[in-house]
Amino acid sequence: MKMTFRWYGKSDPVTLEKIRQIPCMSGIVSAVYDVSAGEVWPDANILSIKSDAQKNDLGFEVVESVPVHESIKLGLFERDRLIENYCENIRRLGTYGVKVICYNFMPVFDWLRSDLSRKLSDGSSTLAFDNEIVLAMDPSTSDLSLPGWDESYTKDGLKNLLKLYESVDEEKLWENFAYFLNNVIPVCEEFGVRMAIHPDDPPWSIFGLPRIITGAESYARMKKINPSVANGITLCLGSLGADPANNIESIVRENCDRIHFVHARNIKLTGERCFEEAPHPTVCGNLDMYGILKVLHDSGFVGYVRPDHGRMIWGETGRAGYGLFDRALGAAYLTGLWEAIERSASE
Ligand code: DNO
């Protein structure tokens, strides 16, 4: 297991100098943020992340994300050019030592929360999802913004995009996903890169848009489309865990050969389709972190882990979910759990 930490580039207040001081941190997870979705990432931008990381004794082997252009998800005529650009990014990243690309296939919106700063009784604040609030939101006028979202649309652009999705149901999205996979996976195989799809977060349809990566059945279907291990998974515990019907341990057992990246975080279910993001330890939420990590360990997991979202604690302010302190506590906790699991397995 390699412990990693997400870094949003030079503008991130959580600097590489701070990240390197977290014990056992092997590398960063990052991306080229100043090139639009669908375009090829200049070599210089990729190399600059790599050399910044290296100067701090950190690796750069995981990219999160290379965004999939909406025209690919919609299956529009320009998708072939955009997929070729995606393939070129895979070639370049592979050449510079990137091993895993985390991506998602969620239409229009990436992860979603209704509350970016819910006060908890201990004085910290956290991200939360409340279904009633989301149902009442109008996506084309809401001002919500989350780290990593594509913010390049104008209000009209967004409205047009939502309109285009009216003719794309889940089956159509699967078809477009299969087309994408069957074009990119051979390139990944050639360049030693593994794709790791992030589950839909939360794992159900929002704003009437189709969402297809929601649990065990999705992974079985993905494998049927393309059985290569390069067609892999980012196991995001908090995303999958938001639906109590998902049995994460069993998803791990069924897919252990293709889990290349883990987003480890805990959540506290607060109602039907409602949850708060909890501190990482098992006792703080509904997910059994020890149990899940143990199954990963026993299934031979050798991929990358990053502590996912943290609360804002000790007065920290910054990107929602992506402050330093609580994520660093999460990393230390997860590293400790892993050490205990490894040691007890070898005794
Ligand atoms: C949220 C993240 C997601 C993730 C993308 C991957 O915090 O986990 O935004 O990066 O869905 O493409």
Side-chain angles (χ1 to χ4, degrees):
M1 183 272 273
K2 286 191 188 170
M3 186 56 70
T4 58
F5 210 75
R6 192 165 191 183
W7 181 62
Y8 279 98
K10 291 192 199 298
S11 68
D12 194 333
V14 182
T15 60
L16 294 173
E17 289 72 19
K18 289 175 184 160
I19 295 173
R20 72 179 298 186
Q21 294 176 355
I22 303 168
C24 309
M25 196 46 69
S26 84
I28 50 155
V29 173
S30 195
V32 170
Y33 291 103
D34 48 5
V35 173
S36 316
E39 297 310 315
V40 175
W41 290 0
D43 294 74
N45 299 39
I46 303 169
L47 280 169
S48 145
I49 303 174
K50 186 170 168 153
S51 78
D52 285 345
Q54 274 172 346
K55 279 182 215 141
N56 287 284
D57 280 332
L58 294 163
F60 174 45
E61 297 181 354
V62 184
V63 163
E64 177 175 352
S65 315
V66 180
V68 179
H69 195 278
E70 295 303 322
S71 296
I72 299 176
K73 296 178 217 164
L74 286 160
L76 301 184
F77 76 95
E78 66 265 30
R79 72 174 160 182
D80 289 330
R81 177 184 69 82
L82 294 160
I83 291 177
E84 176 41 38
N85 285 354
Y86 204 100
C87 291
E88 181 56 22
N89 281 329
I90 295 170
R91 291 185 199 103
R92 290 184 185 195
L93 291 169
T95 305
Y96 295 125
V98 167
K99 307 279 182 241
V100 173
I101 295 176
C102 170
Y103 72 109
N104 72 76
F105 217 77
M106 290 177 250
V108 194
F109 301 99
D110 192 322
W111 61 307
L112 184 74
R113 299 291 179 271
S114 55
D115 193 342
L116 307 188
S117 182
R118 179 176 292 177
K119 267 265 176 261
L120 298 177
S121 58
D122 64 2
S124 63
S125 61
T126 198
L127 292 149
F129 186 98
D130 188 315
N131 202 36
E132 291 297 310
I133 300 176
V134 172
L135 288 176
M137 274 163 69
D138 175 350
S140 60
T141 56
S142 144
D143 283 326
L144 197 66
S145 160
L146 285 168
W149 272 23
D150 183 350
E151 311 273 5
S152 63
Y153 316 114
T154 56
K155 292 261 182 237
D156 282 346
L158 184 58
K159 271 191 190 143
N160 289 338
L161 191 57
L162 291 167
K163 187 109 201 94
L164 286 172
Y165 272 102
E166 284 174 10
S167 57
V168 177
D169 59 9
E170 283 187 7
E171 277 312 302
K172 189 77 201 153
L173 193 60
W174 270 110
E175 232 175 75
N176 297 339
F177 182 40
Y179 187 88
F180 170 74
L181 280 180
N182 288 328
N183 277 283
V184 300
I185 296 301
V187 181
C188 288
E189 285 174 337
E190 198 185 332
F191 283 80
V193 174
R194 291 169 167 198
M195 297 295 284
I197 194 162
H198 191 282
D200 302 343
D201 180 2
W204 54 76
S205 161
I206 50 151
F207 307 137
L209 292 162
R211 285 194 154 190
I212 55 177
I213 308 299
T214 53
E217 283 174 20
S218 317
Y219 298 132
R221 187 160 175 182
M222 257 181 72
K223 263 195 275 192
K224 259 198 209 136
I225 292 169
N226 192 312
S228 165
V229 292
N231 179 18
I233 293 171
T234 294
L235 187 84
C236 176
L237 311 187
S239 304
L240 292 167
D243 180 352
N246 278 328
N247 179 334
I248 300 181
E249 280 94 335
S250 118
I251 290 177
V252 173
R253 282 190 204 95
E254 281 162 28
N255 298 283
C256 53
D257 62 334
R258 63 198 57 235
I259 296 173
H260 305 312
F261 188 25
V262 174
H263 284 182
R265 72 180 155 88
N266 207 344
I267 53 166
K268 192 163 155 193
L269 301 171
T270 49
E272 174 138 11
R273 294 195 164 178
C274 296
F275 59 86
E276 282 170 3
E277 300 204 352
H280 296 79
T282 303
V283 289
C284 301
N286 285 87
L287 302 181
D288 178 1
M289 302 304 272
Y290 169 80
I292 296 168
L293 259 57
K294 172 125 179 50
V295 178
L296 274 164
H297 172 272
D298 295 350
S299 310
F301 174 72
V302 288
Y304 303 83
V305 175
R306 72 167 176 82
D308 206 359
H309 313 158
R311 299 159 302 143
M312 286 300 170
I313 61 173
W314 304 333
E316 189 177 19
T317 53
R319 271 189 182 79
Y322 286 97
L324 170 64
F325 303 145
D326 205 30
R327 282 191 300 151
L329 289 179
Y333 165 73
L334 295 162
T335 304
L337 262 187
W338 194 261
E339 177 182 336
I341 292 167
E342 272 189 328
R343 294 271 295 260
S344 62
S346 65
E347 268 161 13

